[in-house]
Amino acid sequence: MTDTEIELRYLVALGLAQEAGALAMSYANNRERMATRMKGRQDFLTEADGAVEMMLRSRIARVFPNDGFVGEEGGGDGAENLWIVDPIDGTANFARGEPHWCISIGFLHKMKPVVGVIHAPVLGETFAARQGAGAALNGGPIRVSDTTDIHAAAIEIGWSDRLPFEDYLGLVAKIGGMGASTKRSASGALGLCWVAAGRTDAYLELHINSWDVAAGIVIVEEAGGMFTDVWGGKRMDTRTAIYSNGQAHDCPVASLATHDGDT
Ligand code: IPD
Ligand code: CA
């Protein structure tokens, strides 16, 4: 795939993120359209999730008919050129009227994320990156933090009901015990953007899905950060993974993860 073909997908993703944001806001601004269902414990689904994903799926199929598409709600198959989309990440926040949610659009070539656009409409923030071209917030360059001191570090630790609560609590206790401040804002995709923008120093989650991170990995890496699963590999999903300013990889955060395998 040429740089031009990647750039084309980047530009399309930027436009689609804005369109998706406007569609999601049309639900957020109308309580009657905000019917919420539960997919599982603490796993919310709104009408907007399905509508935004359908819109993105059909637009991308029209412009790039040979590319594959995977979405959180509708699934999909792998492909050499693959879009991975989370129509609303931070759905619990979205359903409750909190501003911390986003649309996440990632594009992978041969399973390597090369384009990422994450748009948070209520916050008015669009994070974007493509391989080799740096990362930006609303068009201006961003960089990861340069924090090296764990006692000054802020580390977000993601949680879902997919693993026992004790695993999450154990990790928070260990990292807090090392002297870092810990937090959870309930959007994995934005959690990665916070690392990219230097607002936090690392994001760690014991089990995370590809649609939560496909776009964010490019944004973190292009902002000077690092992504690694705790086995030191580059597998993107369902594994314990750390996304950091690079320096935080030197602290023993990754080795503290207790979950030892896929689920
Ligand atoms: C979840 C959020 C959460 C993360 C979970 C995700 P959803 O996605 O990103 O912050 O910790 O792993 O499943 O349900 O809001 O789309
Ligand atoms: Ca998600």
Side-chain angles (χ1 to χ4, degrees):
M1 167 159 275
T2 64
D3 286 349
T4 308
E5 286 170 312
I6 291 176
E7 188 178 356
L8 180 60
R9 283 162 176 80
Y10 173 73
L11 295 172
V12 168
L14 278 175
L16 286 176
Q18 298 302 318
E19 192 181 347
L23 179 56
M25 287 304 293
S26 73
Y27 284 84
N29 290 331
N30 181 345
R31 294 313 294 176
E32 280 172 22
R33 296 183 82 191
M34 281 296 284
T36 299
R37 285 197 295 114
M38 301 303 291
K39 291 195 282 186
R41 295 194 315 181
Q42 295 299 330
D43 195 2
F44 290 76
L45 179 68
T46 71
E47 298 282 325
D49 294 76
V52 170
E53 184 167 317
M54 262 169 51
M55 184 278 282
L56 290 172
R57 195 182 281 273
S58 71
R59 293 275 193 283
I60 287 170
R62 202 179 310 152
V63 185
F64 303 109
N66 297 320
D67 290 1
F69 185 99
V70 171
E72 172 164 13
E73 308 310 331
D77 296 320
E80 181 167 293
N81 296 319
L82 180 65
W83 296 80
I84 301 188
V85 163
D86 193 342
I88 309 270
D89 185 56
T91 305
N93 288 344
F94 178 76
R96 293 195 173 94
E98 284 194 47
H100 198 82
W101 55 271
C102 63
I103 290 109
S104 174
I105 303 176
F107 174 75
L108 287 72
H109 178 60
K110 296 188 175 166
M111 291 318 283
K112 171 149 183 35
V114 291
V115 168
V117 176
I118 294 178
H119 175 50
V122 184
L123 305 178
E125 294 195 324
T126 306
F127 299 85
R130 71 178 194 279
Q131 185 175 267
L137 164 56
N138 292 346
I142 49 172
R143 249 337 273 163
V144 293
S145 72
D146 55 10
T147 308
T148 53
D149 179 4
I150 191 74
H151 296 128
I155 297 181
E156 180 165 1
I157 304 172
W159 168 84
S160 77
D161 194 51
R162 296 185 294 272
L163 292 177
F165 190 57
E166 293 69 33
D167 291 7
Y168 169 75
L169 276 186
L171 194 57
V172 172
K174 284 174 185 167
I175 290 173
M178 290 164 56
S181 91
T182 62
K183 60 183 285 185
R184 174 179 172 259
S185 300
S187 162
L190 283 182
L192 272 55
C193 293
W194 258 229
V195 174
R199 295 170 178 172
T200 59
D201 305 302
Y203 182 94
L204 177 62
E205 186 155 346
L206 292 172
H207 179 285
I208 190 108
N209 289 310
S210 59
W211 43 79
D212 294 317
V213 300
I217 286 172
V218 197
I219 296 170
V220 168
E221 290 189 333
E222 287 297 323
M226 276 175 76
F227 147 64
T228 315
D229 72 37
V230 297
W231 290 274
K234 280 282 181 186
R235 237 193 83 160
M236 196 176 56
D237 65 336
T238 71
R239 301 276 288 258
T240 301
I242 178 167
Y243 315 82
S244 83
N245 66 0
Q247 316 286 346
H249 267 68
D250 293 337
C251 82
V253 169
S255 66
L256 292 172
T258 51
H259 175 56
D260 60 355
D262 292 354
T263 55

